Each structure stands twice: as C-alpha cells, then as structure tokens.
Amino acid sequence: GMSYSAFRKRFVQMTGKSPGEFRADAIVLRACARLLESSSLTLARIAGDLGFHDAFHFSRRFKQVVGMSPKDFRRQHAAR
C-alpha cells in the first residue's frame, strides 16, 4: 500500500541500507554460510551461482560486507 520511493525511504531509515544493498549483503552472507565453508567450488563458480558478474566483483563486495577476502575467509574456516 505504498509507493516504491516511500518504501525505500522507510527501509533505509530502518536498516541504514537501500533494499539493493541489503539484498547484496544477504547474498554475500549466504555465501559465507553455505558455499565458502562447506564446498570446494571456485570463487568464479560461487560468484556466477550468486549472480555476480565475475569473481572480482564478488570478492570486492564480500570484503566490504565481511571485512576479509573470500580466500582468507575460507582459509580461516578451513583451519577450524
């Protein structure tokens, strides 16, 4: 019952992120939980499966969200 611009404004007020940013962060976090920790898929394959243009784009976004590269994340969680 509201326009997209009203929804977006309210969403940003409540989460601090746009709906697109929120969705992208959720995708990256899903990669952490499912794909990087429990599979041996390449980063290029994971990036493609999640809808990123390439592994570099995925890695850059992953680092923004998680604070480390996917490679470092995988190494850290493989050592456990």
Coordinates of all heavy atoms in Angstrom, one line a residue:
G1 N 0.8 -1.2 0.0 CA 0.0 0.0 0.0 C 0.8 1.3 0.0 O 0.3 2.3 0.4
M2 N 2.1 1.2 -0.4 CA 2.9 2.5 -0.5 C 3.7 2.5 -1.8 O 4.0 1.4 -2.3 CB 3.8 2.6 0.7 CG 4.9 1.7 0.9 SD 6.1 2.0 2.2 CE 5.1 1.8 3.7
S3 N 4.1 3.6 -2.2 CA 5.0 3.7 -3.4 C 6.3 3.2 -3.1 O 6.8 3.1 -2.0 CB 5.1 5.2 -3.8 OG 5.9 5.9 -2.9
Y4 N 7.0 2.9 -4.2 CA 8.4 2.3 -4.0 C 9.3 3.4 -3.3 O 10.1 3.0 -2.4 CB 9.0 1.9 -5.3 CG 10.5 1.5 -5.2 CD1 10.8 0.2 -4.6 CD2 11.5 2.3 -5.5 CE1 12.1 -0.2 -4.4 CE2 12.8 1.9 -5.3 CZ 13.1 0.7 -4.7 OH 14.4 0.3 -4.5
S5 N 9.2 4.6 -3.7 CA 10.1 5.6 -3.1 C 9.8 5.8 -1.6 O 10.7 5.9 -0.8 CB 9.9 7.0 -3.8 OG 8.6 7.4 -3.8
A6 N 8.5 5.7 -1.2 CA 8.2 5.7 0.2 C 8.7 4.5 0.9 O 9.3 4.6 2.0 CB 6.7 5.8 0.4
F7 N 8.6 3.3 0.3 CA 9.1 2.1 0.9 C 10.6 2.2 1.0 O 11.2 1.8 2.1 CB 8.7 0.9 0.0 CG 9.5 -0.3 0.3 CD1 9.2 -1.1 1.4 CD2 10.6 -0.7 -0.5 CE1 10.0 -2.2 1.7 CE2 11.4 -1.8 -0.2 CZ 11.0 -2.6 0.9
R8 N 11.3 2.6 0.0 CA 12.8 2.7 0.0 C 13.2 3.7 1.1 O 14.1 3.3 1.9 CB 13.3 3.2 -1.3 CG 14.8 3.1 -1.5 CD 15.2 3.6 -2.9 NE 16.6 3.3 -3.1 CZ 17.6 4.0 -2.5 NH1 17.4 4.9 -1.7 NH2 18.9 3.6 -2.8
K9 N 12.6 4.8 1.2 CA 12.9 5.8 2.3 C 12.8 5.2 3.7 O 13.7 5.3 4.5 CB 12.1 7.0 2.1 CG 12.5 8.1 3.1 CD 11.6 9.3 2.9 CE 12.3 10.5 2.3 NZ 11.5 11.7 2.2
R10 N 11.7 4.5 3.9 CA 11.4 3.9 5.2 C 12.4 2.7 5.4 O 12.9 2.6 6.5 CB 10.0 3.3 5.3 CG 9.8 2.7 6.7 CD 8.4 2.6 7.1 NE 7.8 3.9 7.2 CZ 6.5 4.0 7.3 NH1 5.7 3.0 7.2 NH2 5.9 5.2 7.4
F11 N 12.7 1.9 4.4 CA 13.7 0.8 4.5 C 15.0 1.3 4.9 O 15.7 0.8 5.8 CB 13.7 0.1 3.2 CG 14.4 -1.2 3.2 CD1 13.7 -2.4 3.4 CD2 15.8 -1.3 3.1 CE1 14.3 -3.6 3.5 CE2 16.4 -2.6 3.2 CZ 15.7 -3.7 3.4
V12 N 15.5 2.4 4.3 CA 16.8 3.0 4.6 C 16.8 3.5 6.0 O 17.8 3.3 6.8 CB 17.2 4.1 3.6 CG1 18.4 4.9 4.1 CG2 17.4 3.5 2.2
Q13 N 15.7 4.2 6.5 CA 15.6 4.6 7.8 C 15.7 3.5 8.8 O 16.4 3.6 9.9 CB 14.3 5.4 8.1 CG 14.2 6.7 7.4 CD 12.9 7.4 7.5 OE1 11.9 6.7 7.8 NE2 12.8 8.7 7.2
M14 N 15.1 2.4 8.5 CA 15.1 1.2 9.5 C 16.4 0.4 9.4 O 16.8 -0.1 10.5 CB 13.9 0.4 9.2 CG 12.6 1.1 9.4 SD 11.2 0.0 9.0 CE 11.2 -1.1 10.4
T15 N 17.0 0.3 8.3 CA 18.2 -0.6 8.2 C 19.5 0.1 8.0 O 20.5 -0.5 8.2 CB 18.0 -1.6 7.0 OG1 18.0 -0.9 5.8 CG2 16.7 -2.4 7.2
G16 N 19.4 1.3 7.5 CA 20.7 2.0 7.2 C 21.2 1.7 5.8 O 22.3 2.1 5.4
K17 N 20.5 0.9 5.1 CA 20.9 0.4 3.7 C 19.7 0.5 2.8 O 18.6 0.3 3.2 CB 21.4 -1.0 3.8 CG 22.6 -1.2 4.6 CD 23.0 -2.6 4.7 CE 24.2 -2.8 5.6 NZ 24.7 -4.2 5.7
S18 N 20.0 0.6 1.5 CA 19.0 0.6 0.5 C 18.5 -0.9 0.4 O 19.3 -1.8 0.7 CB 19.5 1.1 -0.8 OG 20.4 0.2 -1.4
P19 N 17.4 -1.1 -0.2 CA 17.0 -2.5 -0.4 C 18.0 -3.3 -1.3 O 18.2 -4.5 -1.0 CB 15.6 -2.4 -1.2 CG 15.1 -1.1 -0.7 CD 16.3 -0.2 -0.6
G20 N 18.6 -2.7 -2.3 CA 19.6 -3.4 -3.1 C 20.8 -3.7 -2.3 O 21.4 -4.8 -2.4
E21 N 21.3 -2.8 -1.5 CA 22.5 -3.1 -0.6 C 22.2 -4.2 0.4 O 23.0 -5.1 0.6 CB 22.9 -1.8 0.1 CG 23.5 -0.7 -0.8 CD 23.7 0.6 0.0 OE1 22.9 0.9 0.9 OE2 24.6 1.3 -0.3
F22 N 21.0 -4.1 0.9 CA 20.6 -5.1 1.9 C 20.6 -6.5 1.3 O 21.1 -7.5 1.8 CB 19.2 -4.8 2.5 CG 18.8 -5.7 3.6 CD1 19.1 -5.3 4.9 CD2 18.0 -6.8 3.4 CE1 18.7 -6.1 6.0 CE2 17.6 -7.6 4.5 CZ 18.0 -7.3 5.8
R23 N 20.0 -6.6 0.1 CA 19.9 -7.9 -0.7 C 21.3 -8.4 -1.0 O 21.6 -9.6 -0.9 CB 19.1 -7.7 -1.9 CG 19.0 -9.0 -2.8 CD 18.2 -8.7 -4.0 NE 18.1 -9.9 -4.8 CZ 19.1 -10.2 -5.7 NH1 20.1 -9.5 -5.9 NH2 18.9 -11.3 -6.4
A24 N 22.2 -7.5 -1.5 CA 23.6 -7.9 -1.8 C 24.3 -8.4 -0.6 O 25.0 -9.4 -0.7 CB 24.3 -6.7 -2.5
D25 N 24.1 -7.8 0.5 CA 24.7 -8.2 1.8 C 24.2 -9.6 2.1 O 25.0 -10.5 2.6 CB 24.5 -7.3 2.9 CG 25.2 -5.9 2.8 OD1 26.0 -5.8 1.8 OD2 25.0 -5.0 3.6
A26 N 22.9 -9.8 2.0 CA 22.3 -11.1 2.3 C 22.9 -12.2 1.4 O 23.2 -13.3 1.9 CB 20.8 -11.1 2.2
I27 N 23.1 -11.9 0.2 CA 23.7 -12.9 -0.8 C 25.1 -13.2 -0.3 O 25.5 -14.4 -0.3 CB 23.7 -12.3 -2.2 CG1 22.2 -12.3 -2.7 CG2 24.5 -13.2 -3.1 CD1 22.0 -11.6 -4.0
V28 N 25.9 -12.2 0.0 CA 27.3 -12.5 0.5 C 27.3 -13.3 1.7 O 28.1 -14.3 1.9 CB 28.0 -11.2 0.7 CG1 29.3 -11.4 1.4 CG2 28.3 -10.5 -0.7
L29 N 26.4 -13.0 2.7 CA 26.4 -13.8 3.9 C 25.9 -15.2 3.7 O 26.4 -16.1 4.3 CB 25.5 -13.1 4.9 CG 26.0 -11.7 5.4 CD1 24.9 -11.0 6.3 CD2 27.3 -11.8 6.1
R30 N 25.1 -15.4 2.7 CA 24.7 -16.8 2.3 C 25.9 -17.5 1.8 O 26.1 -18.7 2.0 CB 23.6 -16.7 1.3 CG 23.0 -18.1 0.9 CD 21.9 -18.0 0.0 NE 22.3 -18.6 -1.3 CZ 21.9 -18.2 -2.4 NH1 21.0 -17.3 -2.6 NH2 22.3 -18.8 -3.5
A31 N 26.7 -16.8 1.0 CA 27.9 -17.4 0.5 C 28.8 -17.9 1.6 O 29.4 -19.0 1.6 CB 28.7 -16.5 -0.4
C32 N 28.9 -17.1 2.7 CA 29.7 -17.5 3.8 C 29.2 -18.8 4.4 O 30.0 -19.7 4.7 CB 29.7 -16.4 4.9 SG 30.5 -14.9 4.6
A33 N 27.9 -18.8 4.7 CA 27.4 -19.9 5.4 C 27.3 -21.2 4.6 O 27.6 -22.3 5.2 CB 26.0 -19.6 5.9
R34 N 27.0 -21.1 3.4 CA 26.8 -22.4 2.6 C 28.0 -22.7 1.7 O 28.4 -23.9 1.7 CB 25.6 -22.2 1.8 CG 24.3 -22.1 2.6 CD 23.1 -22.2 1.8 NE 21.9 -21.9 2.6 CZ 20.8 -21.5 2.1 NH1 20.6 -21.3 0.8 NH2 19.8 -21.4 2.9
L35 N 28.4 -21.8 0.9 CA 29.3 -22.1 -0.2 C 30.8 -22.1 0.2 O 31.5 -23.0 -0.2 CB 29.0 -21.2 -1.4 CG 27.6 -21.3 -1.9 CD1 27.3 -20.2 -2.9 CD2 27.3 -22.7 -2.4
L36 N 31.2 -21.1 0.9 CA 32.7 -21.0 1.2 C 33.1 -21.9 2.3 O 34.2 -22.5 2.3 CB 33.0 -19.5 1.6 CG 33.0 -18.6 0.5 CD1 33.2 -17.1 1.0 CD2 34.2 -18.9 -0.5
E37 N 32.2 -22.1 3.3 CA 32.6 -23.0 4.4 C 32.4 -24.5 4.1 O 33.2 -25.3 4.6 CB 31.7 -22.7 5.6 CG 32.0 -21.4 6.3 CD 31.2 -21.2 7.5 OE1 30.4 -22.1 8.0 OE2 31.3 -20.0 8.1
S38 N 31.5 -24.8 3.2 CA 31.2 -26.3 3.1 C 31.4 -26.8 1.7 O 30.9 -27.9 1.4 CB 29.7 -26.5 3.5 OG 28.8 -25.8 2.7
S39 N 32.0 -26.1 0.8 CA 32.2 -26.6 -0.5 C 33.6 -26.3 -1.0 O 34.3 -25.4 -0.4 CB 31.2 -26.1 -1.5 OG 31.6 -24.8 -1.9
S40 N 34.0 -26.9 -2.1 CA 35.3 -26.6 -2.7 C 35.2 -25.9 -4.0 O 36.1 -25.9 -4.8 CB 36.2 -27.9 -2.8 OG 35.5 -28.8 -3.6
L41 N 34.0 -25.4 -4.3 CA 33.8 -24.6 -5.5 C 34.7 -23.5 -5.6 O 35.1 -22.8 -4.6 CB 32.3 -24.1 -5.5 CG 31.2 -25.1 -5.6 CD1 29.9 -24.4 -5.5 CD2 31.3 -26.0 -6.8
T42 N 35.1 -23.2 -6.9 CA 36.0 -22.0 -7.1 C 35.2 -20.7 -6.8 O 33.9 -20.7 -6.9 CB 36.5 -22.0 -8.6 OG1 35.3 -21.7 -9.4 CG2 37.2 -23.2 -8.9
L43 N 35.9 -19.6 -6.6 CA 35.3 -18.3 -6.3 C 34.5 -17.9 -7.6 O 33.5 -17.3 -7.5 CB 36.3 -17.3 -5.9 CG 36.9 -17.5 -4.6 CD1 37.9 -16.3 -4.3 CD2 35.9 -17.6 -3.5
A44 N 35.1 -18.2 -8.8 CA 34.4 -17.9 -10.0 C 33.0 -18.6 -10.1 O 32.0 -18.0 -10.5 CB 35.2 -18.2 -11.2
R45 N 33.0 -19.8 -9.7 CA 31.7 -20.6 -9.8 C 30.7 -20.0 -8.7 O 29.6 -19.9 -9.0 CB 32.0 -22.1 -9.5 CG 30.8 -22.9 -9.4 CD 30.1 -23.1 -10.7 NE 28.9 -23.8 -10.6 CZ 28.7 -25.1 -10.6 NH1 29.7 -25.9 -10.8 NH2 27.5 -25.6 -10.4
I46 N 31.2 -19.8 -7.5 CA 30.4 -19.2 -6.5 C 29.8 -17.9 -6.9 O 28.6 -17.6 -6.8 CB 31.1 -19.1 -5.2 CG1 31.4 -20.5 -4.6 CG2 30.3 -18.3 -4.1 CD1 32.3 -20.5 -3.4
A47 N 30.7 -17.0 -7.5 CA 30.3 -15.7 -8.0 C 29.2 -15.8 -9.0 O 28.1 -15.1 -8.9 CB 31.4 -14.9 -8.5
G48 N 29.4 -16.7 -10.0 CA 28.4 -16.9 -11.0 C 27.1 -17.5 -10.5 O 26.0 -17.0 -10.8
D49 N 27.1 -18.4 -9.5 CA 25.9 -19.0 -8.9 C 25.1 -18.0 -8.2 O 23.9 -18.1 -8.1 CB 26.3 -20.2 -8.0 CG 26.8 -21.4 -8.8 OD1 26.7 -21.4 -10.0 OD2 27.3 -22.4 -8.1
L50 N 25.8 -17.0 -7.6 CA 25.1 -16.0 -6.8 C 24.7 -14.8 -7.6 O 24.1 -13.8 -7.1 CB 26.0 -15.5 -5.6 CG 26.3 -16.6 -4.6 CD1 27.4 -16.1 -3.6 CD2 25.1 -17.0 -3.9
G51 N 25.0 -14.8 -8.9 CA 24.6 -13.7 -9.8 C 25.5 -12.5 -9.9 O 25.2 -11.5 -10.5
F52 N 26.8 -12.7 -9.5 CA 27.8 -11.6 -9.7 C 28.3 -11.7 -11.1 O 28.4 -12.8 -11.7 CB 28.9 -11.7 -8.6 CG 28.4 -11.3 -7.3 CD1 27.9 -12.2 -6.4 CD2 28.6 -10.0 -6.9 CE1 27.5 -11.8 -5.1 CE2 28.2 -9.6 -5.6 CZ 27.6 -10.5 -4.7
H53 N 28.8 -10.6 -11.6 CA 29.4 -10.6 -12.9 C 30.7 -11.4 -13.1 O 30.9 -12.0 -14.1 CB 29.7 -9.1 -13.4 CG 28.4 -8.3 -13.5 ND1 27.5 -8.5 -14.5 CD2 28.0 -7.3 -12.7 CE1 26.5 -7.6 -14.3 NE2 26.8 -6.9 -13.2
D54 N 31.5 -11.4 -12.0 CA 32.7 -12.1 -12.1 C 33.3 -12.3 -10.6 O 32.7 -11.7 -9.7 CB 33.8 -11.5 -12.9 CG 34.1 -10.0 -12.6 OD1 34.0 -9.7 -11.4 OD2 34.3 -9.2 -13.5
A55 N 34.3 -13.1 -10.5 CA 34.9 -13.3 -9.2 C 35.4 -12.1 -8.5 O 35.3 -11.9 -7.3 CB 36.0 -14.4 -9.3
F56 N 36.0 -11.1 -9.3 CA 36.5 -9.9 -8.7 C 35.4 -9.1 -8.1 O 35.5 -8.6 -6.9 CB 37.2 -9.0 -9.8 CG 37.7 -7.7 -9.3 CD1 38.8 -7.6 -8.5 CD2 37.0 -6.6 -9.6 CE1 39.2 -6.4 -8.0 CE2 37.4 -5.3 -9.1 CZ 38.5 -5.3 -8.3
H57 N 34.2 -8.9 -8.8 CA 33.1 -8.2 -8.2 C 32.6 -8.9 -6.9 O 32.3 -8.2 -5.9 CB 32.0 -8.2 -9.3 CG 30.8 -7.4 -8.9 ND1 29.5 -7.8 -9.3 CD2 30.6 -6.3 -8.2 CE1 28.6 -6.9 -8.8 NE2 29.3 -6.0 -8.1
F58 N 32.5 -10.2 -6.9 CA 32.1 -10.9 -5.7 C 33.1 -10.7 -4.6 O 32.7 -10.4 -3.5 CB 31.9 -12.4 -6.0 CG 31.8 -13.2 -4.8 CD1 30.6 -13.2 -4.0 CD2 32.8 -14.1 -4.4 CE1 30.5 -13.9 -2.9 CE2 32.7 -14.9 -3.3 CZ 31.5 -14.8 -2.5
S59 N 34.4 -10.8 -4.9 CA 35.4 -10.7 -3.9 C 35.4 -9.3 -3.2 O 35.5 -9.1 -2.0 CB 36.8 -10.9 -4.4 OG 36.9 -12.3 -4.8
R60 N 35.2 -8.3 -4.1 CA 35.2 -6.9 -3.6 C 34.0 -6.7 -2.7 O 34.1 -6.1 -1.6 CB 35.1 -5.9 -4.8 CG 35.3 -4.5 -4.4 CD 35.3 -3.5 -5.5 NE 34.0 -3.6 -6.2 CZ 33.8 -3.5 -7.5 NH1 34.8 -3.2 -8.3 NH2 32.6 -3.5 -8.0
R61 N 32.8 -7.1 -3.1 CA 31.6 -7.0 -2.3 C 31.7 -7.8 -1.0 O 31.3 -7.4 0.1 CB 30.4 -7.4 -3.1 CG 29.1 -7.1 -2.4 CD 28.8 -5.6 -2.3 NE 27.6 -5.4 -1.5 CZ 27.4 -4.4 -0.7 NH1 28.4 -3.5 -0.6 NH2 26.3 -4.3 0.0
F62 N 32.2 -9.0 -1.1 CA 32.4 -9.9 0.1 C 33.3 -9.1 1.1 O 32.9 -9.1 2.3 CB 33.1 -11.2 -0.4 CG 33.2 -12.2 0.7 CD1 32.2 -13.1 0.9 CD2 34.2 -12.2 1.6 CE1 32.2 -14.1 1.9 CE2 34.3 -13.1 2.6 CZ 33.3 -14.1 2.7
K63 N 34.4 -8.6 0.7 CA 35.3 -7.9 1.6 C 34.6 -6.7 2.2 O 34.8 -6.4 3.4 CB 36.6 -7.5 0.9 CG 37.6 -7.0 1.8 CD 39.0 -6.9 1.1 CE 40.0 -6.5 2.2 NZ 41.4 -6.5 1.6
Q64 N 33.8 -6.0 1.5 CA 33.0 -4.9 2.1 C 32.1 -5.3 3.2 O 32.0 -4.6 4.2 CB 32.2 -4.1 1.0 CG 33.0 -3.4 0.0 CD 32.2 -2.8 -1.1 OE1 31.1 -3.3 -1.4 NE2 32.7 -1.8 -1.8
V65 N 31.5 -6.5 3.0 CA 30.5 -6.9 4.0 C 31.1 -7.7 5.1 O 30.8 -7.4 6.3 CB 29.5 -7.9 3.2 CG1 28.5 -8.5 4.2 CG2 28.7 -7.1 2.2
V66 N 32.1 -8.6 4.8 CA 32.6 -9.4 5.9 C 33.9 -8.9 6.5 O 34.2 -9.2 7.7 CB 32.9 -10.8 5.3 CG1 33.5 -11.8 6.3 CG2 31.6 -11.4 4.7
G67 N 34.6 -8.1 5.8 CA 35.9 -7.5 6.3 C 37.1 -8.3 5.9 O 38.2 -7.9 6.4
M68 N 37.0 -9.3 5.1 CA 38.1 -10.0 4.6 C 37.8 -10.6 3.3 O 36.6 -10.7 3.0 CB 38.6 -11.1 5.6 CG 37.6 -12.3 5.8 SD 38.1 -13.6 6.9 CE 38.0 -12.8 8.5
S69 N 38.8 -11.0 2.6 CA 38.6 -11.6 1.2 C 37.9 -13.0 1.4 O 38.1 -13.7 2.4 CB 39.9 -11.7 0.5 OG 40.7 -12.8 1.0
P70 N 37.2 -13.5 0.4 CA 36.7 -14.8 0.4 C 37.7 -15.9 0.6 O 37.6 -16.9 1.3 CB 36.0 -15.0 -0.9 CG 35.8 -13.7 -1.5 CD 36.8 -12.8 -0.9
K71 N 38.9 -15.7 0.0 CA 40.0 -16.6 0.1 C 40.5 -16.7 1.6 O 40.7 -17.8 2.1 CB 41.1 -16.2 -0.8 CG 42.2 -17.2 -1.0 CD 43.2 -16.6 -2.0 CE 44.3 -17.6 -2.3 NZ 45.2 -17.1 -3.3
D72 N 40.6 -15.5 2.2 CA 41.1 -15.5 3.6 C 40.0 -16.1 4.5 O 40.3 -16.8 5.5 CB 41.4 -14.1 4.1 CG 42.6 -13.5 3.5 OD1 43.5 -14.3 3.0 OD2 42.8 -12.3 3.5
F73 N 38.7 -15.8 4.2 CA 37.6 -16.4 5.0 C 37.6 -17.9 4.9 O 37.5 -18.6 5.9 CB 36.3 -15.9 4.4 CG 35.1 -16.4 5.2 CD1 34.6 -15.7 6.3 CD2 34.4 -17.5 4.8 CE1 33.5 -16.2 7.0 CE2 33.3 -18.0 5.4 CZ 32.8 -17.3 6.5
R74 N 37.8 -18.4 3.7 CA 37.8 -19.9 3.5 C 39.0 -20.5 4.3 O 38.9 -21.5 4.9 CB 37.9 -20.2 2.0 CG 37.8 -21.6 1.7 CD 37.7 -21.9 0.2 NE 36.3 -22.1 -0.2 CZ 35.9 -22.3 -1.4 NH1 36.8 -22.2 -2.4 NH2 34.7 -22.5 -1.7
R75 N 40.2 -19.9 4.2 CA 41.4 -20.4 4.9 C 41.1 -20.4 6.4 O 41.5 -21.4 7.0 CB 42.6 -19.5 4.6 CG 43.6 -20.1 3.7 CD 44.9 -19.3 3.6 NE 45.0 -18.9 2.3 CZ 45.2 -17.7 1.9 NH1 45.4 -16.7 2.7 NH2 45.3 -17.4 0.6
Q76 N 40.6 -19.3 6.9 CA 40.3 -19.2 8.3 C 39.4 -20.3 8.8 O 39.6 -20.9 9.9 CB 39.8 -17.8 8.7 CG 39.6 -17.6 10.1 CD 39.1 -16.2 10.4 OE1 39.1 -15.3 9.6 NE2 38.7 -15.9 11.6
H77 N 38.3 -20.5 8.0 CA 37.3 -21.5 8.5 C 37.7 -22.9 8.1 O 37.2 -23.9 8.7 CB 36.0 -21.2 7.9 CG 35.4 -20.0 8.5 ND1 35.7 -18.7 8.2 CD2 34.5 -19.9 9.5 CE1 35.1 -17.9 9.0 NE2 34.3 -18.5 9.8
A78 N 38.7 -23.1 7.3 CA 39.2 -24.5 7.0 C 40.1 -25.0 8.1 O 40.2 -26.1 8.4 CB 39.9 -24.5 5.7
A79 N 40.7 -24.0 8.8 CA 41.6 -24.3 9.9 C 40.9 -24.8 11.1 O 41.5 -25.4 12.0 CB 42.5 -23.1 10.2
R80 N 39.6 -24.6 11.2 CA 38.8 -25.0 12.4 C 38.6 -26.4 12.5 O 38.4 -27.2 11.7 CB 37.5 -24.2 12.4 CG 37.7 -22.8 12.7 CD 36.4 -22.1 12.8 NE 36.6 -20.7 13.0 CZ 35.6 -19.8 13.2 NH1 34.4 -20.2 13.1 NH2 35.9 -18.6 13.4

